[in-house]
Amino acid sequence: MINTAQTQALMLYVAKQVVASEPLLTEADLVIGDGDHGIGMERGFLAVIEMLEKEQLASVDKVFIKVGSTMMASMGGASGAIFGSFFRAGGKALKGTSDFDAKSLPVLIEAGLQSVMDRGGASPGDKTMIDAADMALQMSKTTSNESLESALSKVAEAAKQGVEATKSMIATTGKAKTLGERSLGHPDPGAITTAIIFKSMADFVKQGVAV
Amino acid sequence: MRIPKKLINDPSKVAKEQLEGLIAANHGRIQAIGDKGAVCVNPLPSPQVAIVTGGGSGHEPMFAGYLGPGLATAAACGDIFAAPPPGVILDAAQAADQGKGVLFVYGNYAGDNMNFDIAAELADDEDIETQTIRIWDDVASAPLSKIKERRGVAGDLFVLKIAGAAAAQGKSLGQVTEITAHARDCTRSVGVALSAGSIPQTGKYNFELPDDELEYGMGLHGEPGVSREKMASADTVVEQLLDRIIEDLPFVAGDKVCLLINNLGSSTVMELLIANRKVHSYLESKNIEVHDTLIGSYCTSQEMAGYSISLLKLDDTLTPLYDAPCHSFALRK
Ligand SMILES: Nc1ncnc2c1ncn2[C@@H]1O[C@H](COP(=O)(O)OP(=O)(O)OP(=O)(O)O)[C@@H](O)[C@H]1O
Ligand SMILES: [Mg+2]
């Protein structure tokens, strides 16, 4: 379990990891999309870094809500609406929480995912970030009695499997949609980002903040 | 490997700097709203429904090049090829609204749809009434049975022209929306690409096309298209493009159309004119009358080579609106 300040530090770490992944994400979106996903995520998380380094947020829910609204305001693109909605709605579901633990995870992911599906109309199987987030959600439901470190490492692994699964899917939304069957064999860029987010959370907690 | 060459400054500032250049080119007739990509005509016209458009930058002169009397009122410009965030769209809507409501008119892409929808919710919080028309003129991007999944390309111009003219006549939001939807439903486009464009920030081509191939149905964001074929003569390519457009609406003998041959970026005026020669003879052979012809760079995709052809089918409602005067950076009548 981590407290509010640690959660803020966790999201700062996540933001830096995603920013560092820009070339990889650009590469993935060049293959099946329009090549702007990495730049968009970089723009959003740079704004998040600036915000988190300046502000001291009052509770765990506020950390995620503010991360989401900062992304929504700064990014644009499909991913600005998608990832912004994910963190905003996920944060709102944790209202009043001052400790982030393995029980918070399914709450965060479930509400975030629901809002992404409401906003964009996509479902699991459509080759989007939803496929990674959904695998993460299913895993987080089974690990809610474990330590945060153990839960996050399993959730991150599940998200990664979600990325793998998108390789055999045909895109039906976003800029990759027009590719149809040509998108087969390639992972979805937004799913990769989702896996990086959970992997970074897991790494941060493993590096021994507190458990 | 070939590397894209562009004369730019800071790659992360291209969207901002092109907009500053566009504003300067308008000599005070449009102004920035905030510093995040919203622009609005200045001064506002006599009270009328506001036409607010927008989308990713990088398609210049689309979208902000079409602000002015008889055209769009305000635009929200995102980063290169990325939909603008909701706050920027709201900035544009608030600046343009004169209490008669706002019509959002933009190309049908997941990113634009979501961000404009969020903006519509934010506008509602501010008591601004909005309606939305998404443009889906690209026949190559999905079958007719799934028309709502098609992308918006250069045909956006025709739809904006009609929307702006209808708003300038003082029609209600409901009427402007209905007429704009009708214009959208009468517009079809399809493109062909010969070589790729590149996003300044990545400094890479968005895809590779072999020297001896072309691609039909290429997306405006450099998304790969639907079919790749060997290079062919201009007449053959134009015929292929028109066959797809004609059968889709369908356009039939006796129809009157407006024609747009749009440069995707780096094709030559010579090629566009050679295409136009064939388009006119093709349409004449089908007994379709061309009411007006636009040729040039109206909706681009960086340095992509190739062009798109768009047709707007006119009728008694659309003809006078199309012929109505307008003034903007990139379209004047
Ligand atoms: N409807 C949707 N629901 C969930 N995720 C989506 C949806 N549409 C796109 N995505 C995610 O967004 C990612 C692409 O983000 P990106 O910002 O590059 O979008 P885009 O479609 O290129 O739009 P834009 O060019 O406006 O940014 C995809 O890999 C996918 O995971
Ligand atoms: Mg993209």
Side-chain angles (χ1 to χ4, degrees):
Chain A
M1 153 159 78
I2 58 177
N3 64 24
T4 298
Q6 289 165 325
T7 306
Q8 184 163 343
L10 168 109
M11 285 312 295
L12 184 60
Y13 180 77
V14 167
K16 288 178 175 166
Q17 294 309 112
V18 176
V19 168
S21 310
E22 181 274 319
L24 181 153
L25 296 172
T26 295
E27 221 34 75
D29 199 38
L30 278 172
V31 178
I32 68 162
D34 57 353
D36 66 345
H37 179 66
I39 300 161
M41 294 310 306
E42 181 184 40
R43 186 167 56 241
F45 274 114
L46 280 175
V48 166
I49 291 171
E50 195 184 318
M51 181 277 292
L52 289 176
E53 283 178 343
K54 205 164 60 199
E55 295 190 33
Q56 197 181 350
L57 296 159
S59 53
V60 165
D61 53 312
K62 291 264 161 38
V63 172
F64 291 109
I65 292 173
K66 202 67 204 286
V67 165
S69 56
T70 302
M71 293 176 81
M72 203 180 266
S74 60
M75 281 176 66
S79 28
I82 291 295
F83 286 90
S85 299
F86 182 85
F87 284 111
R88 251 170 55 111
K92 283 186 180 168
L94 290 174
K95 197 167 170 57
T97 307
S98 52
D99 294 310
F100 186 66
D101 60 16
K103 285 193 177 53
S104 321
L105 269 180
V107 178
L108 174 86
I109 305 172
E110 184 149 46
L113 190 52
Q114 188 59 49
S115 121
V116 167
M117 297 199 289
D118 292 345
R119 176 59 64 198
S123 330
D126 288 340
K127 196 177 182 105
T128 67
M129 62 79 73
I130 292 173
D131 295 300
D134 188 47
M135 295 282 269
L137 172 62
Q138 301 316 324
M139 179 57 76
S140 71
K141 285 179 172 168
T142 71
T143 57
S144 62
N145 289 320
E146 301 180 15
S147 68
L148 182 59
E149 178 180 346
S150 150
L152 271 173
S153 86
K154 288 178 186 170
V155 164
E157 188 50 42
K160 201 171 136 201
Q161 282 167 20
V163 176
E164 281 304 305
T166 62
K167 287 187 184 169
S168 56
M169 297 174 187
I170 295 173
T172 60
T173 182
K175 301 256 165 73
K177 174 175 78 180
T178 357
L179 262 187
E181 304 210 335
R182 277 205 253 161
S183 66
L184 268 175
H186 304 288
D188 174 68
I192 298 176
T193 299
T194 306
I196 292 172
I197 290 172
F198 287 113
K199 168 91 166 52
S200 310
M201 287 185 175
D203 288 348
F204 179 83
V205 173
K206 193 157 59 193
Q207 280 157 21
V209 192
V211 269
Chain B
M1 206 180 67
R2 239 162 27 100
I3 305 234
K5 280 167 91 177
K6 286 185 212 277
L7 285 173
I8 53 172
N9 300 307
D10 179 348
S12 71
K13 296 210 170 93
V14 286
K16 188 171 180 287
E17 292 186 355
Q18 67 80 20
L19 195 56
E20 288 167 2
L22 182 76
I23 291 169
N26 273 270
H27 295 277
R29 287 185 293 264
I30 69 173
Q31 61 178 354
I33 306 298
D35 63 352
K36 297 205 164 64
V39 269
C40 185
V41 299
N42 175 44
L44 288 172
S46 58
Q48 60 176 57
V49 169
I51 307 297
V52 174
T53 186
S57 295
H59 305 301
E60 292 69 36
M62 193 70 81
F63 295 83
Y66 302 111
L67 300 190
L71 273 162
T73 324
C77 308
D79 205 340
I80 302 297
F81 293 176
V88 178
I89 302 168
L90 182 66
D91 286 347
Q94 280 179 315
D97 179 50
Q98 298 181 285
K100 305 263 178 191
V102 172
L103 179 62
F104 288 146
V105 183
Y106 57 91
N108 187 38
Y109 295 89
D112 295 287
N113 296 351
M114 288 187 269
N115 285 288
F116 271 92
D117 280 354
I118 296 170
E121 290 164 21
L122 298 175
D124 186 54
D125 293 348
E126 307 291 329
D127 294 320
I128 297 173
E129 192 185 351
T130 64
Q131 290 287 335
T132 294
I133 296 295
R134 295 173 179 163
I135 304 163
W136 44 62
D137 54 311
D138 183 0
V139 303
S141 50
L144 187 56
S145 59
K146 294 185 182 169
I147 193 164
K148 292 184 180 173
E149 293 184 13
R150 288 180 175 176
R151 301 181 297 239
V153 289
D156 289 358
L157 175 66
F158 286 145
V159 183
L160 280 173
K161 172 71 186 77
I162 300 297
Q169 289 186 354
K171 295 184 191 302
S172 70
L173 180 58
Q175 290 167 324
V176 176
T177 307
E178 195 180 315
I179 290 167
T180 306
H182 177 55
R184 185 260 323 272
D185 294 342
C186 292
T187 303
R188 293 292 188 278
S189 305
V190 69
V192 62
L194 309 185
S195 66
S198 66
I199 301 183
Q201 293 106 308
T202 62
K204 288 181 182 149
Y205 287 105
N206 276 31
F207 54 92
E208 288 298 333
L209 253 175
D211 289 344
D212 61 341
E213 290 181 16
L214 51 76
E215 182 147 338
Y216 287 101
M218 173 63 59
L220 257 191
H221 302 87
E223 316 96 303
V226 286
S227 82
R228 238 170 227 207
E229 288 170 31
K230 288 286 169 205
M231 279 295 285
S233 71
D235 285 1
T236 309
V237 169
V238 166
E239 230 172 74
Q240 290 248 9
L241 295 176
L242 283 173
D243 282 349
R244 281 175 191 257
I245 295 182
I246 296 289
E247 68 170 30
D248 195 84
L249 191 67
F251 294 86
V252 297
D255 281 353
K256 194 170 71 168
V257 299
C258 294
L259 163 67
L260 166 60
I261 302 182
N262 172 57
N263 189 353
L264 290 172
S266 63
S267 281
T268 56
V269 177
M270 174 193 79
E271 290 165 278
L272 303 183
L273 290 173
I274 291 172
N276 187 47
R277 160 188 165 277
K278 179 66 182 176
V279 174
H280 275 259
S281 71
Y282 178 108
L283 292 176
E284 196 179 332
S285 76
K286 302 268 181 197
N287 205 9
I288 295 169
E289 182 193 337
V290 183
H291 176 73
D292 192 27
T293 301
L294 299 175
I295 299 176
S297 301
Y298 288 88
C299 179
T300 60
S301 180
Q302 297 293 293
E303 69 272 50
M304 192 193 289
Y307 46 75
S308 62
I309 300 176
S310 304
L311 295 181
L312 165 69
K313 177 178 162 163
L314 294 173
D315 57 22
D316 292 345
T317 310
L318 297 179
T319 306
L321 291 168
Y322 183 83
D323 289 338
C326 67
H327 188 101
S328 70
F329 169 73
L331 184 71
R332 290 170 199 184
K333 280 183 83 69

